Structures are given as C-alpha cells and as structure tokens.
Amino acid sequence: MNRIEERFARLKRDGRKGFIVYIGAGDPNLEATRQLGVAFDKLGVDVLELGVPFSDPLADGLVNQLAAQRGLESGTTPPKVLETVAAIRKDSQIPVVLYIYFNLMHKYGIERFIESAAKAGVDGLLVLDLPPEESGNYEALMRKAGLCNIYLVAPTTPEERIEFIVKRGTGFVYYISREGVTGMQAKVSDTLAEMTKKIRGHTKLPIAVGFGISNEDQAKFVAQQAEAIVVGSAVVNQIAEHGNSPRLVEDVSRFVKTLADATKSV
C-alpha cells in the first residue's frame, strides 16, 4: 500500500474521517508550499493536494485560477513541484496528490513524469482532463510506479459511467459535490447523500467530497456523508490574503486547524 491507501486504512480502523487540503503549488512561492505542507501534517491534514500551475485551468474557479497565475509568476514548473515534494519528504510522510492537467504531463513525457513523481515522493495523481476511456497505458504506468490514479465523479455522471470510473480508479474516489468549477459556496449540495450512496453501490474505495466546502459547519455536514472532505478554495483564499505576511504559515494553519478539528469531530 502507498501512503494514501495506508492513511485511509488507518482512518477506517480508527473510525475517523479524512481531511484533504488543496493548495496551489508555488503560491506565493515554493518554499511557502513546502512549509505549509509540513505544517498541515502536524495539524491533522490527511492528504495534501498540490495544484500544478497551468495557464488554462479549466476546472478551476477564480480563486484557484489566480493561485495558478501566482504560481506561474513565482517560476513554478512541474520539475520544481517535484523538487518541493522531495523537500517535504525530508520532514513529513503526509500523503501527496498532484492535481494536474494532462498537457503538463504530456509535454514532460507521461512515463517519465510518473516515474519522476514516484521518485520524488508523490503518492497519487488526479489528472483533471483525462477521462478513463482515453487514458491509454496511464493506469498501467501508475500501477507499476505504485501511485494511485484518482478519478472524478460529478453530480451529472450517469450511474453506468460511475460504475466504469470507480472500477478504474485507486486510492479514493473524488466526488465533485456540485456542477461547475471550484470555489467557495454558501450551501452544500442537497443531493450529496443520494450520490454518495450511489457511488458506494459500485466500489469499496473511500469517497472524498470536494468543491465548495468553506467553513466548519459544512465540513461537519459533508464528513457525515463521506469518508473524507476536500477543502481547496477556502484555504487558497487564506493564502491569497496572507501571502505577503511573514506569518503566512501560522495564519493559514490557524484556519486549516478549525476545519481539521470540525472534520475529526464527526
């Protein structure tokens, strides 16, 4: 088992819910990303998702688009993100997933990127725009490298396609709780319980729910319906607010801890 599988096995054994945090790599710089990753591990974050900056982040709302832009402006590239993961590994064994667009992997060389990611200490990839039908030998390469290939399920995904997707994925299923792009929301989807039940009918993989969770009440509510929650834009927004502060890690960590504690209280 890799770190993602080990972490979810431990959470299940302990009867706890998982807390996944997304941040944009290189926002405001890669040293901040390294420090935040190490700090999050100590706060109770179970999986760190690092968004690899891309010029056309089609699945992302404004908050995460701006984070990608700041990452590009700070000189962040896929090789530098892998170097940062390797630096995190010197101080932390937090499971790491790269949230990446296929063009970046294709340019790097798919097999080479997967091998380099595994060597750096990455545990899984979530390739936003790579549907399972078009993945070619991607899944075989991921298995060979010991990495989890994580796929997305949306509220609009038909049941037969849910079955197809979850049988191809490993690590966990990422359920997008609403249509559209990433971003903070005032209300959690009212179809959440129905959809998680439908997904569970086709897989024993843990379900992680994301897109829109931004406060403690939402975190508690979603954690009751799934094995894990994913918080991205709300944390990225904190990084945007405190990015120039010498207390960046401390200030963002304080916010993240409130959500971690809310998730773990379920």
Side-chain angles (χ1 to χ4, degrees):
M1 288 197 294
N2 79 0
R3 294 179 192 89
I4 295 169
E5 293 168 327
E6 286 176 354
R7 182 60 57 97
F8 275 106
R10 187 200 309 168
L11 287 166
K12 184 176 182 180
R13 189 170 62 244
D14 295 344
R16 306 287 294 276
K17 298 304 178 87
F19 181 49
I20 301 173
V21 171
Y22 168 93
I23 59 174
D27 175 25
N29 55 67
L30 285 166
E31 174 56 20
T33 301
R34 184 195 70 79
Q35 291 181 23
L36 286 166
V38 173
F40 290 170
D41 188 14
K42 296 172 183 174
L43 296 173
V45 174
D46 293 294
V47 179
L48 174 65
E49 267 191 13
L50 291 179
V52 183
F54 183 53
S55 57
D56 299 287
L58 299 177
D60 293 297
L62 181 60
V63 170
N64 288 353
Q65 284 182 27
L66 292 172
Q69 186 61 39
R70 291 191 296 269
L72 292 173
E73 288 170 357
S74 73
T76 302
T77 61
K80 288 184 179 179
V81 173
L82 297 182
E83 288 174 13
T84 303
V85 174
I88 290 171
R89 283 285 163 256
K90 293 177 182 177
D91 299 301
S92 168
Q93 292 303 308
I94 188 171
V96 174
V97 173
L98 297 187
Y99 177 106
I100 188 168
Y101 288 87
F102 183 70
N103 261 16
L104 295 174
M105 289 177 59
H106 180 69
K107 183 176 181 182
Y108 192 102
I110 297 169
E111 184 169 5
R112 179 169 158 250
F113 182 82
I114 290 170
E115 289 173 352
S116 298
K119 185 176 180 181
V122 172
D123 303 291
L125 298 180
L126 200 170
V127 187
L128 275 298
D129 49 354
L130 181 65
E133 297 94 332
E134 299 175 21
S135 61
N137 65 342
Y138 163 74
E139 291 169 8
L141 292 171
M142 291 287 281
R143 278 194 301 274
K144 181 181 175 185
L147 300 185
C148 292
N149 53 283
I150 298 152
Y151 287 125
L152 299 164
V153 172
T156 51
T157 306
E159 186 150 5
E160 64 272 15
R161 182 156 170 73
I162 289 174
E163 181 179 10
F164 175 75
I165 291 170
V166 300
K167 282 181 166 47
R168 301 280 293 265
T170 56
F172 61 90
V173 177
Y174 191 140
Y175 175 59
I176 305 167
S177 61
R178 60 183 179 78
E179 298 168 45
V181 295
T182 60
M184 296 171 286
Q185 296 293 308
K187 182 174 176 289
V188 174
S189 168
D190 52 12
T191 62
L192 184 56
E194 174 192 340
M195 284 299 294
T196 52
K197 182 180 179 182
K198 195 176 286 187
I199 294 167
R200 280 199 188 91
H202 299 290
T203 184
K204 288 186 166 53
L205 286 176
I207 301 169
V209 177
F211 278 43
I213 302 165
S214 58
N215 59 52
E216 293 169 68
D217 289 341
Q218 291 175 348
K220 287 180 183 178
F221 176 78
V222 175
Q224 291 170 12
Q225 312 294 332
E227 282 72 45
I229 72 164
V230 186
V231 180
S233 297
V235 178
V236 173
N237 196 52
Q238 290 287 316
I239 294 171
E241 284 185 19
H242 301 288
N244 296 320
S245 168
R247 294 164 51 88
L248 168 68
V249 175
E250 186 179 338
D251 290 336
V252 175
S253 293
R254 189 180 306 110
F255 174 74
V256 168
K257 189 172 189 312
T258 64
L259 296 175
D261 291 347
T263 305
K264 302 300 179 182
S265 71
V266 173

